[in-house]
Amino acid sequence: MTGGFRSRSTGGDRPAPKKPNANSGGQKRSPRRTGASKPRSERGQQPRRQRTTPGFADPARQAAFDTLRRVTEDGAYANLTLPGLMRQRKLSERDAGFATELTYGTLRTLGVLDNVIAACSSRPIDDIDPGVLDVLRLGTYQLLNMRVEPHAAVDTSVRLAEHAGFDWAKGFVNAVLRSVGRTPAEQWREKLAPTDPLARVAWESAHPVWVARSFATALGVEADDPELARALAADSQRPVVHLVARPGEISAEELALITGGEQGAYSPYAVYLESGDPGKLEPVRQRLAGVQDEGSQLIARALVEAEVAQDQGRWLDLCAGPGGKAALVGSLARAENAHVDAVEVSEHRAGLIEKAVGDAPVTVHVADGRNPGLEPGFDRVLVDAPCSGLGALRRRPEARWRKSERDIAELTALQFELLASALSLVRPGGVVIYSTCSPDVRETRQVVDRAVAECGAIEEDAHALIPDLPGSGDGLSVQMWPHRHGTDAMFFAVLRRS
């Protein structure tokens, strides 16, 4: 059972979103949940304290629970939190595999799990203590999606609740999960599935409805088209690790031989790894290679491949954090005797760029990309704009439930301002590459069309700058897709000043 449509990020108690900073990536933390109807302190009792869980006899479920708490309560990212916990606690390979499936699966299907829990709970789901709710989510996922015996899923969840300091909720957890387990997963799927075609495909693929609508619009298909189901399903599939061979340091062929990987299909620098920790690979440790989606590699390469008459070697990455594209562009700049200015508004992310680029000819500036204070006249400008990140949902399973459609309007305003800034900084005859890791047309085509209409920009054929990518769009811009190309859903367009 993999469906879900109830996005907890769009509830009525969510505060109005703050305006994102330039280059911030548009990432937002989800609000903290409210506890049960009234705090214990207001009822004359001491507040319940959640205990930490070291010593719990089930290290895999403990790691999954602790990760889920950090994600739902503190806005952490599971793909950064869980690996660290597993290394710190030295989980066995078997326990690590179980924890990974349980954690990521629970986060991917958060919407459907909440709906099933709501159907079995004696109290509204918004009144359930957030920590208890996370215990229920993990237990429900095991009952509906994993080969775990029902009694084991219920019993371990009750013990986890007790050990985490929720001993007062043991009976409640037991009752809810026993109710969940009485109905097979397929029956839950049919029982709760919406009748509206778009809502149903969103439910079946574990996405909020607005995300499914965004994908359908970008693909140009109706809700009942199998293409939409395939595109949404790709967000729940484990992505292959993409490595990038740094030009001038190591070739993709050499990197593939050293790592046992396979050379990429599109980028001349890409290598695919089916599994393993890339951080442990010697070429990555020596910074001869890095981890970077193949779609991002193609966009960085397109910036350098675009024809520019009398290139003076002044290149600009206007939204450079955390530095993946800046590192690749910097490596290519060295071969061309060029220099890259990399702009990032966040000091922390600027530090990540410094680390990523190493000794490449890159200068990092902590500044707002909308007004970076740099002298105009750049030959090449990359605007990898902050976006909703809908194109990389497979890498951050919790992201689909954190996003809100309300965020799009603020992001598109920022994206246009950054693109307008880039067009003012590029010299006549120079080139601007605008890219996003989102297929939402409001963040892609509409921003580009506005720049053409209001800034006098001229759009050129982006397909000419990359290898043949069937299904990447019929217009001038390129839209990649996980289910078609194996990349993130990256978009880019090529613009010049009139």
Side-chain angles (χ1 to χ4, degrees), residues 305-433:
E305 289 292 306
E307 184 178 346
V308 173
Q310 297 180 339
D311 189 340
Q312 300 300 307
R314 287 193 67 205
W315 302 357
L316 173 64
D317 186 346
L318 197 59
C319 313
K325 292 185 179 68
L328 180 51
V329 172
S331 296
L332 295 169
R334 178 185 282 119
E336 299 293 333
N337 293 319
H339 182 272
V340 182
D341 287 285
V343 174
E344 171 55 49
V345 71
S346 161
E347 289 191 16
H348 171 68
R349 287 166 66 87
L352 296 178
I353 301 170
E354 294 274 10
K355 184 177 179 180
V357 301
D359 61 355
V362 178
T363 301
V364 180
H365 306 268
V366 180
D368 189 327
R370 292 169 291 188
N371 185 21
L374 299 176
E375 186 70 23
F378 288 94
D379 302 286
R380 305 173 189 273
V381 182
L382 173 62
V383 185
D384 186 30
C387 67
S388 64
L390 296 184
L393 295 181
R394 59 186 184 155
R395 302 188 186 279
R396 288 184 171 168
E398 72 280 357
R400 69 191 72 182
W401 307 111
R402 276 187 184 168
K403 307 293 181 181
S404 167
E405 193 166 23
R406 299 185 288 212
D407 302 333
I408 299 294
E410 290 187 0
L411 285 168
T412 55
L414 172 60
Q415 289 157 356
F416 174 75
E417 290 172 354
L418 288 165
L419 182 51
S421 174
L423 289 166
S424 71
L425 289 166
V426 74
R427 68 172 175 83
V431 65
V432 173
I433 301 289

